[in-house]
Amino acid sequence: MARTSSIIIIGGGVIGLSCAHFLMAKGADVTLIEKQAVGSGASHGNCGLLYYTDVLPLCAPGAVSHEIYRTLTGTSPLYIKPEADMDRLLWLARFALNCRAGQAEKAAREKYEILEYSAVLFADLLDTGILQCDFGKKGVLLVFSEKKYFENYKTTNDLLRRFGPGYRRLGRDEALALEPALSPNITGAWHNETDQHLRPEFLMAAWKNHLVRRGLTIEEKCEVTGICRKGQTIKEIETPRGRFSADAYVLAAGAWSAPLARTLELKLPVQPGKGYSITMGRPGQCPEIPCMLYEKNMVVTPWKSGYRLGGTMEFSGFSQTLNRKRLNKLLDGAGHYLKTPLGRPLVEEWTGLRPMSCDDMPLIGRAPGHDNLIVATGHGMLGLTLATGTGKLVTDLIYGVSPRIDPAPYSLDRF
């Protein structure tokens, strides 16, 4: 694909926009095709963390038994719809098989490489000043309500220190002094000063407008209904607006990448993981540091422009119906950790589908059996964080440039 001049990107989320950004910097003529509106999916209502310290995979030793216990006790943020979905059952089995100590350590090392790469590229991008997105650099505060989890986090932090400074332990009084918005009922917290945050819908709007001014062609409300190929080469894609053709194609449709890939007889081990968020005005006593409410697996993100509660993980297919019980879990969870958990006015109640891979690693690379198709999906809850590294890696692969990081760990050949 080294002589590529025209490229079609399927998917208008943060991964698609990042791919467009770096491809256009190489001089490519890029068309982005999105079934809804650019930035309307999981890139819109997430909690906006640039979570560069999140090197440990979800499929860690003990993860399955821990979630089974929490499910039985009614404290788990995870929900799996009980139905005979063989793709989901197979995905769950593969996830469980990846919950091994050796696999987790290997995945952490590999994830660290693309996290660090993305951090450098995102910093360069934000330094240009072209993307106004309510950006903040205050780290992340992991807040605990139960002493056993607070004390046990030291083991996790020792692992994190292999890849950076890790977190700083704060007793209850120290945590309250650093973040007065926390409830005095907490046990303690761990703080890192590395991670950052922004308002994702602001980023998407600014990035889209910037790329359109530079010449990006966008086709919104334009669902891909068919992919035509000759041998191992994709020739064109079909949509209700007609057919589009290019030299190369990037499949970056998030959770919808897997069903699209099936039309090409390509199986991607990616399942839609449903998340929820509630966006409000800032409460009277608003946190200044983004908080991860550890036992509830939810995030509280404050911005100058607002405030968001987000989290949960639901495996229930591609339905995007708002579940009131799941939203209430966010409201109840915040009440355990914050003095003033709710703000006014209520701005938005939202749900979106994250592309979850069975080994909690992104899928970035050439599609087996297809000469001019690159896949970029499976980023889970780190799509925003890994966007720049993914976009640059995709561009290097298309143009035959030797990437600055090893692309093998993210290749589709690993399955």
Side-chain angles (χ1 to χ4, degrees):
M1 288 189 274
R3 296 181 180 179
T4 297
S5 60
S6 62
I7 299 168
I8 286 176
I9 299 171
I10 303 171
V14 70
I15 300 299
L17 280 188
S18 182
C19 290
H21 177 94
F22 288 101
L23 286 166
M24 291 171 68
K26 291 286 288 186
D29 178 9
V30 180
T31 298
L32 189 150
I33 296 179
E34 165 57 41
K35 64 184 288 187
Q36 298 176 339
V38 169
S40 61
S43 300
H44 173 80
N46 65 78
C47 289
L49 295 185
L50 296 176
Y51 206 4
Y52 299 120
T53 61
D54 191 23
V55 300
L56 302 180
L58 293 175
C59 42
V64 174
S65 58
H66 181 61
E67 286 308 318
I68 290 174
Y69 169 77
R70 294 210 295 176
T71 299
L72 293 174
T73 57
T75 60
S76 176
L78 174 66
Y79 171 74
I80 302 173
K81 186 176 181 180
E83 60 183 357
D85 184 323
M86 293 309 298
D87 285 340
R88 188 185 308 151
L89 292 173
L90 178 60
W91 184 95
L92 290 168
R94 295 176 76 170
F95 181 92
L97 288 172
N98 280 308
C99 293
R100 310 186 310 271
Q103 172 64 20
E105 292 174 10
K106 176 176 178 291
R109 291 193 300 271
E110 294 168 345
K111 185 180 283 190
Y112 173 76
E113 294 299 320
I114 193 169
L115 282 165
E116 286 293 290
Y117 190 43
S118 298
V120 171
L121 291 168
F122 228 129
D124 290 343
L125 182 63
L126 292 171
D127 283 346
T128 65
I130 59 177
L131 302 180
Q132 296 300 311
C133 53
D134 215 339
F135 176 69
K137 301 172 68 173
K138 296 189 177 181
V140 170
L141 197 61
L142 271 62
V143 188
F144 293 77
S145 63
E146 297 185 36
K147 186 175 181 179
K148 65 176 181 178
Y149 293 123
F150 173 60
E151 298 296 347
N152 289 345
Y153 193 77
K154 181 183 182 302
T155 301
T156 301
N157 194 51
D158 289 342
L159 291 174
L160 291 174
R161 287 189 182 278
R162 299 180 188 177
F163 305 97
Y167 285 68
R168 180 167 62 97
R169 184 184 187 279
L170 301 173
R172 173 184 168 277
D173 292 343
E174 292 177 291
L176 293 175
L178 178 65
E179 182 49 84
L182 294 173
S183 166
N185 296 324
I186 68 163
T187 296
W190 291 78
H191 182 224
N192 84 65
E193 299 179 4
T194 302
D195 295 317
Q196 303 158 2
H197 64 289
L198 53 78
R199 189 152 180 173
E201 64 269 43
F202 288 8
L203 173 76
M204 295 300 292
W207 211 349
K208 171 188 172 182
N209 292 337
H210 169 69
L211 293 177
V212 168
R213 288 193 297 269
R214 288 183 52 200
L216 175 65
T217 299
I218 295 179
E219 298 286 345
E220 295 182 302
K221 305 294 183 183
C222 187
E223 184 173 3
V224 174
T225 56
I227 303 177
C228 306
R229 59 180 173 169
K230 183 177 181 180
Q232 296 190 22
T233 303
I234 294 176
K235 291 297 185 180
E236 59 185 12
I237 61 173
E238 299 174 344
T239 78
R241 294 186 187 172
R243 296 171 180 247
F244 296 82
S245 63
D247 298 319
Y249 299 80
V250 179
L251 179 55
W256 283 271
S257 297
L260 278 171
R262 279 198 295 269
T263 67
L264 297 170
E265 301 176 351
L266 181 64
K267 294 184 179 180
L268 303 181
V270 173
Q271 280 285 311
K274 193 173 184 180
Y276 291 82
S277 72
I278 304 172
T279 305
M280 298 166 269
R282 289 169 61 92
Q285 191 161 8
C286 186
E288 296 301 323
I289 303 171
C291 297
M292 177 80 72
L293 310 184
Y294 190 83
E295 290 84 0
K296 301 296 182 181
N297 281 98
M298 61 175 287
V299 175
V300 177
T301 308
W303 301 293
K304 293 178 181 179
S305 59
Y307 170 79
R308 180 169 291 166
L309 308 177
T312 80
M313 180 65 73
E314 179 179 324
F315 290 98
S316 56
F318 287 88
S319 168
Q320 291 184 273
T321 302
L322 283 167
N323 184 322
R324 180 56 52 185
K325 289 183 179 179
R326 307 297 285 173
L327 289 169
N328 287 341
K329 278 185 174 290
L330 296 178
L331 299 173
D332 294 341
H336 288 293
Y337 297 82
L338 301 173
K339 290 177 182 175
T340 312
L342 306 180
R344 293 288 183 272
L346 173 65
V347 176
E348 182 181 31
E349 295 178 329
W350 173 89
T351 186
L353 302 177
R354 316 174 184 105
M356 308 299 298
S357 70
C358 66
D359 60 358
D360 196 32
M361 290 282 285
L363 284 68
I364 310 167
R366 300 179 185 277
H370 298 81
D371 295 333
N372 61 340
L373 175 64
I374 297 286
V375 173
T377 187
H379 295 79
M381 294 181 287
L382 289 176
L384 178 64
T385 304
L386 297 177
T388 50
T390 299
K392 185 63 168 66
L393 184 54
V394 164
T395 301
D396 289 343
L397 291 173
I398 287 178
Y399 281 96
V401 176
S402 180
R404 290 184 60 185
I405 60 172
D406 182 4
Y410 325 111
S411 167
L412 280 66
D413 294 335
R414 71 185 191 268
F415 300 112

